[in-house]
């Protein structure tokens, strides 16, 4: 029986947190519409409502669907596409939670009495937490590895870079002949950094081994 990785469990927990917050947002807005809360009308409200419903369905499908199951049935190409779709979804979630945060702050600042509900404060706090968690995850497993690999490569090759400048000045013609091989080497380095980033994205979505 295949074991469940820590990354997969972490992904499920994150999705469940988002799911319950989305549910709170959706039911809260439905309630505002039901009671006819006029001061709760805002340009972002319809998008927040519609995306909440879409995201609830989407998360319900992907939360317990490990990438390994997609690989077994459809192959690695489908798994990569699945991972990319999830990545885009999380990016949109950041925008969504920012808009939700803006909406709840608007209701509080306008002192909208008919919008007062325990869910409003929960949504306000939850949106801040979710944005912080998602941004932190993206930063730790995608952005930082790219920066670290780039800086490490520059530091490691500073000495050879200075030597290369000296060589170019002394023998420019010979140096020009080595350009193709150096471009090939640079391409391999970029590919390696890209591979590290891809591994980071894979960890974000979790996997079953």
């Amino acid at each position: 029986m295949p074991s469940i990785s820590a990354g997969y469990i972490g992904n499920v927990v994150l999705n469940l947190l988002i799911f319950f917050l989305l549910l709170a947002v959706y039911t809260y807005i439905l309630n505002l519409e039901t009671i006819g809360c006029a001061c709760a009308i805002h340009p972002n409200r319809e998008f927040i409502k519609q995306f909440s419903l879409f995201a609830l369905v989407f998360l319900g499908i992907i939360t317990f669907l490990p990438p390994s199951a997609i690989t077994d049935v459809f192959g690695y190409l489908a798994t990569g596409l699945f991972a990319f779709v999830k990545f885009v979804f999380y990016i949109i979630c950041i925008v969504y939670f920012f808009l939700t945060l803006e909406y709840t702050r608007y209701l509080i600042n306008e002192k909208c009495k008919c919008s007062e509900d325990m869910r409003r404060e929960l949504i306000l706090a939850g949106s801040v937490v979710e944005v912080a968690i998602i941004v932190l995850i993206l930063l730790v497993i995608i952005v930082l590895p790219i920066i670290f690999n780039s800086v490490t490569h520059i530091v490691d090759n500073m000495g050879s870079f200075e030597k290369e400048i000296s060589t170019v000045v002394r023998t420019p013609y010979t140096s020009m002949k080595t350009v193709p091989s150096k471009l090939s080497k640079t391409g391999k380095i970029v590919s390696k950094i890209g591979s590290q980033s891809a591994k980071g994205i894979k960890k974000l979505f979790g996997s079953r081994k």
Side-chain angles (χ1 to χ4, degrees):
M1 183 177 178
S3 58
I4 300 176
S5 69
Y8 176 74
I9 295 175
N11 183 59
V12 170
V13 172
L14 174 63
N15 286 343
L16 288 176
L17 289 174
I18 296 175
F19 183 89
F20 287 119
L21 185 56
L22 287 167
L23 187 61
V25 172
Y26 185 70
T27 56
Y28 175 66
I29 291 180
L30 282 183
N31 182 63
L32 293 178
E33 292 178 343
T34 301
I35 63 176
C37 185
C39 58
I41 297 175
H42 187 274
N44 294 341
R45 192 173 78 173
E46 189 60 26
F47 168 77
I48 293 170
K49 175 187 173 183
Q50 297 300 329
F51 184 81
S52 297
L53 182 59
F54 163 77
L56 283 168
V57 176
F58 184 77
L59 282 176
I61 295 173
I62 69 169
T63 297
F64 301 103
L65 183 62
S68 58
I70 298 176
T71 303
D72 293 341
V73 178
F74 300 105
Y76 288 101
L77 182 61
T79 304
L81 180 61
F82 177 68
F84 176 74
V85 170
K86 290 182 71 175
F87 175 73
V88 172
F89 172 75
Y90 287 125
I91 295 297
I92 297 175
C93 275
I94 294 176
V95 178
Y96 164 82
F97 285 122
F98 267 121
L99 293 178
T100 303
L101 180 61
E102 181 183 285
Y103 178 56
T104 51
R105 286 172 60 87
Y106 165 80
L107 296 177
I108 294 172
N109 292 336
E110 291 295 314
K111 296 180 173 58
C112 183
K113 292 293 184 181
C114 54
S115 73
E116 291 180 354
D117 189 311
M118 184 178 67
R119 284 172 295 186
R120 189 178 71 179
E121 280 63 37
L122 173 65
I123 292 166
L124 178 64
S127 296
V128 174
V129 172
E130 290 293 353
V131 169
I133 290 175
I134 296 175
V135 170
L136 181 62
I137 291 174
L138 293 176
L139 179 67
V140 169
I141 68 175
I142 297 178
V143 179
L144 290 184
I146 294 175
I147 296 175
F148 178 77
N149 277 282
S150 301
V151 172
T152 300
H153 175 69
I154 292 172
V155 172
D156 290 344
N157 290 276
M158 188 59 69
S160 60
F161 175 72
E162 294 174 354
K163 182 179 178 181
E164 190 65 33
I165 293 177
S166 176
T167 303
V168 170
V169 171
R170 286 186 285 105
T171 57
Y173 177 73
T174 304
S175 299
M176 287 295 293
K177 292 168 64 176
T178 63
V179 168
S181 62
K182 289 174 182 176
L183 287 176
S184 176
K185 183 178 179 181
T186 302
K188 291 179 180 178
I189 293 170
V190 173
S191 177
K192 181 179 178 182
I193 294 174
S195 176
Q196 292 291 331
S197 302
K199 288 180 181 178
I201 293 175
K202 187 176 181 181
K203 288 180 182 178
L204 173 65
F205 305 127
S207 60
R208 236 179 178 176
K209 298 181 179 179

